[in-house]
């Protein structure tokens, strides 16, 4: 999942990443902004066509048991 070129531009405190959204069995991964930032991957600008860095969250970073369908994490907000 692409995150752009600057993590400072990310605003939402909570992230819900949905896979298989157009199926009868979508899967959601619930993450905090800090978790997204900690687990993101940075590209090497020298290897980019444009020379710009890009940042993304690889499926192996978010597809983990502690994030999968972790709707209970919102219960701590009340």
């Amino acid at each position: 999942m692409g995150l752009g070129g600057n993590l400072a531009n990310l605003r939402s405190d909570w992230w819900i990443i949905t896979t298989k959204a157009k199926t009868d069995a979508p899967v959601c991964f619930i993450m905090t902004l800090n978790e997204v930032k900690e687990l993101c991957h940075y590209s090497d600008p020298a290897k980019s066509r444009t020379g710009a860095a890009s940042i993304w969250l690889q499926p192996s970073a978010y597809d983990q048991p502690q994030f999968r369908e972790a709707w209970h994490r919102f219960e701590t907000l009340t």
Side-chain angles (χ1 to χ4, degrees):
M1 181 177 93
L3 300 173
N6 186 343
L7 293 178
N9 292 332
L10 303 181
R11 301 285 180 225
S12 179
D13 290 335
W14 287 94
W15 285 66
I16 302 172
I17 301 164
T18 304
T19 60
K20 302 179 185 179
K22 293 185 177 184
T23 71
D24 290 336
V27 180
C28 293
F29 302 90
I30 315 302
M31 303 177 74
T32 65
L33 177 58
N34 286 337
E35 291 164 341
V36 169
K37 288 180 176 182
E38 289 171 6
L39 295 171
C40 67
H41 178 81
Y42 294 83
S43 69
D44 182 351
K47 296 180 181 178
S48 168
R49 289 183 300 214
T50 63
S54 63
I55 307 167
W56 68 92
L57 197 60
Q58 300 189 91
S60 60
Y62 63 79
D63 191 352
Q64 298 183 38
Q66 68 268 30
F67 305 132
R68 182 183 288 263
E69 300 297 340
W71 298 103
H72 65 275
R73 299 182 78 189
F74 291 120
E75 293 172 7
T76 62
L77 300 177
T78 57

